[in-house]
Amino acid sequence: MYKRIEVFYKDELPDPLGNAVRSEIAAFGFPGVTSVRVRQVYIIFGNVGENDLDTIAKKLLVDTITQHYQISDFELRILDFGHHVVEISRKPGVMDPVEQSVLKALRDIGISIDGVKTAKKYLIDGNMSKEAIGSIATRILANTKIEEVFIYPETPNYDHGTIRYSFKKETVPLLHADNKQLEEISARGQLSLNLSEMRAIQNYYKLIKRDPTDVELETIAQTWSEHCVHKTFKGIIEFNGEKIDNLLQNTIMKATKELKKPWCVSVFKDNAGIVRYDDQYNICFKVETHNHPSAIEPYGGANTGVGGVIRDIMGTGLGGKPILNTDVFCFGIPDTPQDKIPKGVWHPKRIFKGVVAGVRDYGNRMGIPTANGAIFFDDRYIGNPLVFCGTVGLIPKNKCQKEARPGDLIVVAGGRTGRDGIHGATFSSAELHEQSEQISGGAVQIGNAITEKALLDVLLQARDRGLYNCITDCGAGGLSSAVGEMGQDLGALVNLERVPLKYEGLSYTEIWISEAQERMVLAVPPEKEKDLLELFKSENVEATIIGRFTQDKVLRLFYNAHLVGEIEMDFLHKGIPRLERKATWHRPTFEEPSLPDKEDFGADLKKILSSWNICSKEWVIRQYDHEVQGSSVLKPLQGLCNDGPGDACVITPRLGSGKGIIVSNGMNPRYGDIDPYHMASSAIDEALRQIIAVGGSLEQVALLDNFCWGNTNKPDRLGSLVMAAQACYDIAIAYGTPFISGKDSLNNEFITDKETIVIPPTLLISAVAIMEDVRNAVSMDIKEPGSLVYIIGLTRPELGGSHYYYIHGYKGNNVPKVDAVLGRRIMNALSLAASKKLIRSCHDCSEGGLAVAAAEMAFSGGYGMALNLSAVATEGSICRNDTLLFSESNTRFVVEVRPEHQVQFEGIVKDIPYGLLGKVIREPVFTIYGLDNKPVVNESIYDLKEAWQAPLRW
Amino acid sequence: MLKPKVVIFRTAGTNCDCETQYAFERAGAKVDVMHINTLLANKNSLRDYQILTLPGGFTYGDDVSAGKILANQIKYHLAEEITTFINKKKLVLGICNGFQALAKAGFLPDFNMPDQEVTLTFNDSNKFEDQWVYLKVCSDKSVFIKNSDVSVIYLPIAHGEGKFITKDEAVLNRITMNRQVILRYVNERGEEAGYPWNPGGSVQCIAGISDPTGQVLGMMPHPERHIEPTQHPSWTRSGLKEWGDGFLIFKNAVQYAKANF
């Protein structure tokens, strides 16, 4: 039994959401809509009288200045007459954060109800067909995977009843299954286990002479998923006749081991890598991917991606405080025509908007600045977007180690457990296809940031009071992974019926593997139990004892005194058979364009500035609170009008200390099509040169790797992965920058009825550097007319994979390479110059090369430039202007220096390649003279800026 | 009084408490950040403080509407204590979410009025936005900042629900006549302007208001994010000042408390 309260804006006031929806609908191709008004509907469950409903509305739900309300029964629907009416609400069981807040608020005003849920009711005016309204409802307003849609006169019904669960211990008949049956069991259960793994499990159960229970098999599947154990990276790979036993240890981790940096505190073992910061604190950093959930529900996928990586930091050591978020996305092309969108896929623009909103709503609510990021577009991400979420944390030096002890209580804290997110770990380890959205809808979740924020607040206090011995996050695999990991060397006993649930009806297996958000698992010594529970209660955060750690190295699961699972930890964690795979790679040959070396490249420059990858991302950045915590020193948007594209961000996590960190990222999948080795090298170089560009140094830089690849069961995809990993080793060693953490997400392919769309091999390199004095930071906007403009570094004819070729429809072959020996000298020289405050502005040359870097500096600073290409330092002789303008050779910088510092600056760079290109001029004109001294670019900086800003001015 | 005491309320979703604490400490105060449950359990503890601050954040997720649930907690459980606090000439500062809560609890523009008179509603752009704004100081009414000290300051905003509107013209006229409008959004030349200078579309470009006594200030921009000179978005162009523009607000509050208690 329920009642409805509808809240809506007074007619004379604008309805901002309604207006936004109207523009969305028009942009989607339904121009006939004249007006949209939105009503917020609260569905109040329980026996609540009219008076109480009035009180609820007046005291809580309505802003009397702007809104009216109606307590509506369905007779009132006559009022909707004349509009098209669509009502949308989340399906039962899907997180609705408003619910908890409203229940809390009603307790504050002394009214008790059974429950509440919300819906949005859209009153749409305009001459539209019924079909059009249907399309608008399901393709623009709702995501039917998680939401119910009612198009009036269909009557919404929110009496869903409750699902009861009656206990029955389930076993899976495995002992006598043949290979085909084993594969069927894996497929039917969405376990993502291959045949050799299923057979290993079968052999284990043959030894102990019984069939597994369902929860045991699920536990093994979660623990052995690609997502959790990285079996490809740790397997045996035969590449070009050579056997690589554990790619991870032979490349990325090997670099760290050989570099032996004393400031690496914890690498590749905890939830995040930890490096030294100052005398009291360390810095931890983790970047995760949340690709498949974001493909199916962009908002929820990104939302929980952010929430998840924040929990990684909360679960690093004894808990870090999150101080910065970085988010990098790869999407399909935003203006792809609707008829080119494969079935079962959202339009890339909708994915883009949904993902940004998801990151925004979680990061902003958590009070963590999102101050770094990047967005990359390629049509091959259309069915499988990539969402990388990273968090940096600050952690006291004496809180970096943790260990659960026998007898410690297992406490689950934070959010409650529901049926959401079942099979996330195994789902993320498989390919997406047209029906993924139906089969794996349960893997999609919505986060509740405030639950996580309250949990964070109380956890940091518990940490400082020493109330627990160990902590980890509940991420992929839920309690199964968290408890399984923490108790790996001990053993654990869990009473599943004690886990607090959002609603009834969950089986013991669902409780164990649910990936419901905002939960952490703690190991609490019995003598601290009381203090811990009191502390959590004092801030309304739920914490519940669900079991204890033992010492017999067995995991035992009970449900109301029934033993439902019993597995040896050794088998669970060490029983997985090694993968053996073959890898190959053959260099593809792309057509080499023969473009005319024109007299005027102004139009090309503007076209490159307008390309999706290079254009301004201000629309995204401004929606993120990038200044909360007050720590920002170099913000993502810089210059005269605070709108230029900064290279890396600089923050001071300890206010007033003067010391800071620099965070950057590098990625260029376009190079990977030509050569994955050089792509990976270039990504590292890019991340490092952004650090140098803002005034940092290579002194203490830690790297993170995130590999997103296609299906690595296929030898060519695996071959390119091997090459990229080998580049990571080579370049990290050459630059002296160790990796401290990483992650891989494989099987990023989308299968349609016609074809398989494989994402380009995508390696994101994230970097964090320590900056001793943030007042040495350098921004990218030019500052003063009369300054000298230099290019530092060597330009080579490297247009393969460049944006210049891209806008002309080519890939080419001559991909940029990295000379890290020279690169290191260049970077060290610039760091020295920055520390002596000789650099007025600096920008790294990346996509679009010298021309784009210099143009961005000019229009961000509000002045013109007069530059000459004959001054560019080149390898060999380059006789084409377009190569000099747009080559994307690595380790190059454009630098502004005051005339009075010329001698001093040139003294520092004299042994590395550099060229004095020209000057900053007061007139707002950007001119580049070609090799024959005639202008090849001559444009107003305002026109260049407009070209750069227009595409994403949404 | 040598070291005035500031209490900063915190609850689920508060997130600007640390930098607000830092700002007051730099201004010479002693600061306690207190969970609202602690205060509700011992309401008398408010007596120990001279300045009460509701910092920015998304209390209770801004579910229902921004600051509303916190506003109800204040209105129905702490009204008497806060009224006494103000009557004792003490100061109350609400920043961003804190301003939204004070407005919706009826403490601004005038806690003697029975009903809510102003609100902060969704930005016309229907977007959360983080950007820097110029603010004209329009009055000498507020203890926190006076137009005799400074004419224009530069601070960041970061909100989705910051459009200030009043119940009716009468309220708008009253607070204007009464010099309770303390901060208005202006352009770089100090003139009132539209979007993006007035980011949410506030009526008469209003960004911050005072109560009639000058002891209560609510403002959408974040003064605590412009204390250190390196917080300025273009300090690399213009050089480092001694203090960011927001510091004055905290300094004035602490000076007042030192002088009066």
Side-chain angles (χ1 to χ4, degrees):
Chain A
M1 152 163 209
Y2 63 88
K3 293 274 173 35
R4 299 161 55 94
I5 302 176
E6 295 188 7
V7 178
F8 49 94
Y9 279 89
K10 294 178 180 173
D11 282 341
E12 63 272 25
L13 292 174
D15 178 341
L17 177 57
N19 292 340
V21 168
R22 194 194 55 202
S23 339
E24 288 280 303
I25 295 173
F28 191 80
F30 295 105
V33 173
T34 51
S35 139
V36 179
R37 307 282 293 184
V38 185
R39 293 180 163 209
Q40 177 73 20
V41 185
Y42 296 89
I43 293 121
I44 310 280
F45 295 93
N47 193 6
V48 188
E50 284 284 320
N51 283 347
D52 274 352
L53 286 174
D54 262 321
T55 310
I56 292 171
K58 278 189 195 140
K59 283 194 171 174
L60 180 65
L61 303 180
V62 176
D63 186 331
T64 52
I65 310 290
T66 55
Q67 294 170 321
H68 288 310
Y69 70 96
Q70 274 174 350
I71 294 169
S72 70
D73 283 321
F74 284 100
E75 301 82 78
L76 278 172
R77 291 230 323 277
I78 192 77
L79 290 172
D80 303 323
F81 185 75
H83 306 287
H84 299 285
V85 181
V86 177
E87 185 163 314
I88 294 167
S89 82
R90 292 198 177 151
K91 285 181 177 169
V94 177
M95 163 67 72
D96 185 352
V98 178
E99 178 181 340
Q100 285 177 36
S101 304
V102 169
L103 289 176
K104 193 229 161 342
L106 289 180
R107 281 195 300 274
D108 286 347
I109 55 176
I111 293 177
S112 114
I113 62 173
D114 292 350
V116 59
K117 74 178 281 153
T118 61
K120 282 207 159 49
K121 183 170 164 184
Y122 299 85
L123 309 184
I124 303 171
D125 290 346
N127 191 9
M128 321 277 302
S129 68
K130 214 175 154 202
E131 291 68 44
I133 292 293
S135 278
I136 289 169
T138 53
R139 289 163 80 182
I140 304 174
L141 302 178
N143 181 347
T144 51
K145 268 87 83 179
I146 56 160
E147 289 171 320
E148 293 183 295
V149 176
F150 302 97
I151 299 173
Y152 286 32
E154 188 194 354
T155 312
N157 181 5
Y158 297 110
D159 270 326
H160 294 293
T162 46
I163 305 167
R164 302 255 171 242
Y165 169 67
S166 52
F167 172 74
K168 182 167 170 276
K169 182 169 164 179
E170 304 276 353
T171 55
V172 183
L174 199 72
L175 286 190
H176 307 293
D178 59 24
N179 287 352
K180 191 161 162 270
Q181 288 167 323
L182 286 175
E183 284 181 321
E184 273 169 19
I185 291 170
S186 171
R188 205 177 330 119
Q190 282 184 269
L191 302 176
S192 293
L193 292 166
N194 65 29
L195 182 60
S196 94
E197 290 159 349
M198 286 303 288
R199 291 184 58 169
I201 298 168
Q202 190 181 40
N203 288 338
Y204 173 76
Y205 281 93
K206 277 182 178 162
L207 277 178
I208 60 169
K209 298 193 180 69
R210 66 173 174 89
D211 277 317
T213 64
D214 57 344
V215 74
E216 289 172 343
L217 198 53
E218 289 279 6
T219 306
I220 297 167
Q222 303 291 338
T223 313
W224 292 7
S225 66
E226 182 69 65
H227 187 99
C228 297
V229 287
H230 313 290
K231 44 200 177 197
T232 301
F233 259 98
K234 293 180 178 170
I236 297 162
I237 299 171
E238 198 191 309
F239 180 59
N240 291 347
E242 188 197 340
K243 236 182 188 149
I244 305 167
D245 185 344
N246 195 327
L247 183 60
L248 190 61
Q249 272 180 15
N250 279 292
T251 56
I252 291 161
M253 287 168 76
K254 190 173 161 199
T256 309
K257 210 169 156 191
E258 289 178 5
L259 286 168
K260 262 198 250 154
K261 295 290 182 187
W263 43 263
C264 284
V265 177
S266 165
V267 293
F268 294 106
K269 55 176 188 225
D270 208 335
N271 288 319
I274 310 180
V275 295
R276 194 156 68 203
Y277 180 58
D278 63 11
D279 54 345
Q280 290 176 57
Y281 288 91
N282 292 327
I283 290 284
C284 46
F285 192 9
K286 173 64 170 277
V287 179
E288 270 281 8
T289 52
H290 222 221
N291 305 333
H292 290 188
S294 304
I296 292 190
E297 211 310 276
Y299 179 86
N303 203 245
T304 51
V306 175
V309 76
I310 294 169
R311 286 196 302 283
D312 274 327
I313 295 303
M314 291 159 67
T316 295
L318 287 165
K321 181 191 173 190
I323 54 170
L324 182 88
N325 281 348
T326 163
D327 294 282
V328 176
F329 315 133
C330 300
F331 300 127
I333 309 293
D335 55 2
T336 307
Q338 192 64 44
D339 57 9
K340 294 275 185 324
I341 307 291
K343 207 176 140 220
V345 168
W346 292 114
H347 191 279
K349 189 169 175 181
R350 175 159 176 175
I351 296 183
F352 183 5
K353 287 189 163 183
V355 165
V356 169
V359 168
R360 173 196 68 203
D361 286 355
Y362 212 101
N364 291 358
R365 277 172 173 68
M366 284 299 294
I368 302 167
T370 302
N372 179 264
I375 309 179
F376 193 86
F377 300 93
D378 185 289
D379 45 20
R380 288 167 290 171
Y381 295 116
I382 197 153
N384 196 131
L386 304 181
V387 173
F388 301 89
C389 304
T391 302
V392 183
L394 191 66
I395 181 168
K397 284 182 130 169
N398 60 356
K399 300 289 181 189
C400 293
Q401 306 300 331
K402 60 184 167 189
E403 193 182 5
R405 294 182 194 135
D408 280 356
L409 304 169
I410 303 172
V411 172
V412 60
R416 292 189 156 206
T417 299
R419 199 173 281 107
D420 35 359
I422 304 274
H423 282 145
T426 51
F427 163 61
S428 74
S429 306
E431 295 134 348
L432 290 171
H433 48 82
E434 281 174 24
Q435 280 88 35
S436 292
E437 55 174 62
Q438 282 135 36
I439 298 168
S440 307
V444 174
Q445 308 170 61
I446 307 285
N448 186 351
I450 296 309
T451 302
E452 187 146 308
K453 179 67 166 75
L455 176 60
L456 169 65
D457 290 349
V458 81
L459 269 179
L460 293 179
Q461 297 171 62
R463 175 196 74 185
D464 293 342
R465 286 171 55 186
L467 298 181
Y468 54 85
N469 289 333
C470 192
I471 181 168
T472 197
D473 65 304
C474 256
L479 290 170
S480 158
S481 294
V483 176
E485 240 169 66
M486 259 163 102
Q488 187 171 348
D489 300 323
L490 300 172
L493 188 157
V494 179
N495 299 98
L496 291 166
E497 77 283 357
R498 292 197 194 159
V499 176
L501 303 180
K502 292 179 187 171
Y503 37 79
E504 285 179 62
L506 271 71
S507 73
Y508 59 86
T509 302
E510 288 174 316
I511 295 172
W512 182 237
I513 64 168
S514 160
E515 296 178 9
Q517 298 290 307
E518 288 95 25
R519 300 176 303 161
M520 300 289 290
V521 174
L522 314 176
V524 179
E527 67 274 18
K528 304 280 171 64
E529 172 191 345
K530 188 167 160 283
D531 286 354
L532 183 106
L533 295 183
E534 268 175 17
L535 171 64
F536 276 66
K537 193 164 177 239
S538 75
E539 301 200 1
N540 310 106
V541 178
E542 202 158 35
T544 311
I545 297 162
I546 60 164
R548 63 184 160 80
F549 290 107
T550 56
Q551 47 191 341
D552 60 0
K553 297 186 100 183
V554 176
L555 173 67
R556 286 193 185 79
L557 304 174
F558 289 89
Y559 186 80
N560 284 331
H562 302 281
L563 180 66
V564 293
E566 187 171 30
I567 322 175
E568 287 168 283
M569 287 290 192
D570 273 351
F571 174 69
L572 186 58
H573 291 283
K574 295 174 191 150
I576 181 170
R578 298 280 303 277
L579 270 188
E580 285 198 42
R581 281 186 182 151
K582 282 202 165 41
T584 57
W585 190 77
H586 302 286
R587 174 182 275 278
T589 310
F590 295 97
E591 188 187 343
E592 200 62 54
S594 55
L595 299 165
D597 200 21
K598 292 180 284 200
E599 285 180 5
D600 184 357
F601 286 97
D604 288 61
L605 175 57
K606 282 191 275 192
K607 201 163 176 192
I608 296 174
L609 286 169
S610 291
S611 67
W612 289 108
N613 288 327
I614 290 174
C615 72
S616 170
K617 307 298 182 302
E618 184 170 355
W619 177 82
V620 180
I621 297 166
R622 292 240 176 267
Q623 293 189 60
Y624 299 154
D625 189 340
H626 48 266
E627 297 180 88
V628 62
Q629 301 191 7
S631 54
S632 66
V633 172
L634 274 192
K635 302 179 207 293
L637 295 166
Q638 304 169 1
L640 184 66
C641 304
N642 301 333
D643 56 6
D647 285 316
C649 76
V650 179
I651 62 166
T652 44
R654 301 185 67 194
L655 293 178
S657 72
K659 188 165 180 162
I661 60 167
I662 308 171
V663 175
S664 70
N665 65 72
M667 183 170 86
N668 201 327
R670 213 175 292 286
Y671 301 163
D673 292 329
I674 303 171
D675 188 319
Y677 181 92
H678 297 306
M679 169 191 79
S681 312
S682 299
I684 298 175
D685 194 81
E686 183 183 7
L688 295 179
R689 63 183 188 257
Q690 288 178 7
I691 284 172
I692 301 304
V694 300
S697 80
L698 293 177
E699 195 64 27
Q700 184 184 332
V701 184
L703 303 178
L704 277 68
D705 61 274
N706 277 82
F707 289 85
C708 287
W709 244 250
N711 181 350
T712 47
N713 289 330
K714 298 173 186 163
D716 61 323
R717 326 261 212 271
L718 187 57
S720 74
L721 185 75
V722 171
M723 289 179 56
Q726 285 172 340
C728 286
Y729 170 78
D730 294 344
I731 305 298
I733 289 284
Y735 276 121
T737 51
F739 285 90
I740 57 165
S741 166
K743 196 86 194 191
D744 54 279
S745 162
L746 310 177
N747 290 321
N748 287 292
E749 308 201 348
F750 187 84
I751 303 163
T752 71
D753 51 359
K754 293 192 226 73
E755 54 176 342
T756 297
I757 307 174
V758 189
I759 65 155
T762 309
L763 170 63
L764 169 68
I765 297 290
S766 311
V768 59
I770 309 295
M771 190 171 205
E772 286 303 326
D773 185 353
V774 296
R775 286 167 304 179
N776 286 337
V778 177
S779 63
M780 52 71 65
D781 47 306
I782 50 173
K783 312 280 188 315
E784 286 148 45
S787 291
L788 309 176
V789 179
Y790 291 88
I791 180 163
I792 310 293
L794 210 51
T795 302
R796 304 180 184 88
E798 293 176 318
L799 283 165
S802 68
H803 262 67
Y804 176 62
Y805 278 3
Y806 176 65
I807 61 157
H808 291 290
Y810 292 96
K811 234 167 218 150
N813 298 288
N814 205 354
V815 70
K817 293 153 204 77
V818 174
D819 176 350
V821 176
L822 175 62
R824 198 168 172 166
R825 283 170 49 218
I826 292 172
M827 292 192 192
N828 286 341
L830 282 181
S831 295
L832 179 63
S835 70
K836 293 181 183 296
K837 298 190 192 289
L838 301 176
I839 298 182
R840 204 63 187 105
S841 65
C842 180
H843 199 23
D844 88 299
C845 290
S846 301
E847 291 134 318
L850 164 64
V852 164
E856 287 177 344
M857 292 172 79
F859 64 64
S860 303
Y863 297 113
M865 279 185 183
L867 310 178
N868 195 314
L869 291 178
S870 358
V872 174
T874 60
E875 188 176 75
S877 102
I878 295 177
C879 51
R880 287 179 65 107
N881 288 322
D882 59 355
T883 307
L884 293 167
L885 287 168
F886 301 117
S887 168
E888 298 183 6
S889 293
N890 284 298
T891 338
R892 295 183 308 152
F893 301 84
V894 181
V895 177
E896 177 193 4
V897 176
R898 281 182 170 149
E900 62 264 37
H901 292 140
Q902 178 173 9
V903 174
Q904 215 183 338
F905 179 76
E906 289 182 4
I908 289 173
V909 297
K910 66 179 189 306
D911 295 329
I912 56 172
Y914 77 92
L916 175 53
L917 292 176
K919 277 186 179 179
V920 176
I921 56 172
R922 186 168 296 281
E923 300 72 47
V925 179
F926 182 76
T927 309
I928 300 180
Y929 295 90
L931 291 168
D932 55 0
N933 272 329
K934 289 186 192 146
V936 285
V937 174
N938 190 27
E939 297 285 334
S940 143
I941 59 168
Y942 305 116
D943 291 348
L944 294 173
K945 190 170 183 178
E946 177 59 24
W948 180 73
Q949 287 186 326
L952 269 180
R953 198 181 276 135
W954 285 355
Chain B
M1 163 171 285
L2 275 174
K3 217 170 172 67
K5 282 183 76 178
V6 177
V7 60
I8 298 175
F9 282 1
R10 150 179 98 76
T11 185
T14 302
N15 66 29
C16 300
D17 42 328
C18 294
E19 53 272 39
T20 307
Q21 174 175 12
Y22 176 76
F24 271 118
E25 285 174 353
R26 291 304 302 267
K30 180 176 183 319
V31 182
D32 289 328
V33 179
M34 189 185 283
H35 196 280
I36 195 149
N37 286 356
T38 312
L39 182 74
L40 289 171
N42 180 10
K43 295 184 185 180
N44 288 338
S45 59
L46 207 52
R47 291 181 193 160
D48 302 338
Y49 300 93
Q50 294 79 47
I51 303 170
L52 181 166
T53 299
L54 300 176
F58 287 82
T59 48
Y60 308 103
D62 280 356
D63 297 328
V64 181
S65 80
K68 177 71 181 182
I69 295 176
L70 177 62
N72 275 3
Q73 281 191 299
I74 295 170
K75 187 168 171 177
Y76 299 115
H77 299 285
L78 289 166
E80 201 182 312
E81 288 74 16
I82 295 179
T83 306
T84 309
F85 194 85
I86 299 167
N87 286 337
K88 288 190 170 163
K89 303 270 179 236
K90 295 178 175 181
L91 303 181
V92 179
L93 173 62
I95 302 167
C96 197
N97 196 252
F99 180 23
Q100 291 162 336
L102 287 176
K104 290 173 187 181
F107 276 89
L108 282 171
D110 188 346
F111 67 89
N112 290 314
M113 292 295 170
D115 293 320
Q116 184 186 336
E117 292 188 309
V118 303
T119 197
L120 284 310
T121 187
F122 285 92
N123 295 346
D124 284 345
S125 64
N126 192 43
K127 270 195 306 215
F128 179 100
E129 283 188 274
D130 174 336
Q131 64 175 56
W132 282 68
V133 292
Y134 294 94
L135 297 157
K136 184 175 184 173
V137 186
C138 312
S139 157
D140 61 354
K141 169 77 87 182
S142 176
V143 168
F144 293 89
I145 191 161
K146 293 181 191 303
N147 56 0
S148 49
D149 295 341
V150 60
S151 57
V152 174
I153 58 173
Y154 194 44
L155 297 178
I157 53 109
H159 61 244
E161 297 176 52
K163 176 181 178 172
F164 177 89
I165 47 177
T166 58
K167 188 171 79 177
D168 50 31
E169 283 288 313
V171 172
L172 185 60
N173 288 339
R174 193 184 81 227
I175 62 172
T176 310
M177 297 298 289
N178 213 6
R179 306 192 327 279
Q180 284 171 250
V181 177
I182 307 301
L183 299 167
R184 288 186 207 271
Y185 298 108
V186 292
N187 62 20
E188 53 274 30
R189 292 183 299 278
E191 305 149 353
E192 287 179 33
Y195 184 84
W197 293 276
N198 175 2
S202 288
V203 60
Q204 293 189 4
C205 297
I206 292 173
I209 59 169
S210 170
D211 75 325
T213 68
Q215 295 159 230
V216 184
L217 175 67
M219 60 191 291
M220 287 311 295
H222 286 276
E224 80 285 8
R225 295 187 189 182
H226 196 191
I227 304 297
E228 292 290 327
T230 50
Q231 290 166 331
H232 190 290
S234 52
W235 66 269
T236 56
R237 297 179 76 81
S238 48
L240 293 166
K241 296 201 277 187
E242 192 184 355
W243 291 104
D245 288 0
F247 184 62
L248 189 64
I249 288 174
F250 300 95
K251 195 176 85 176
N252 285 343
V254 173
Q255 292 289 3
Y256 168 92
K258 277 183 184 171
N260 288 279
F261 298 99

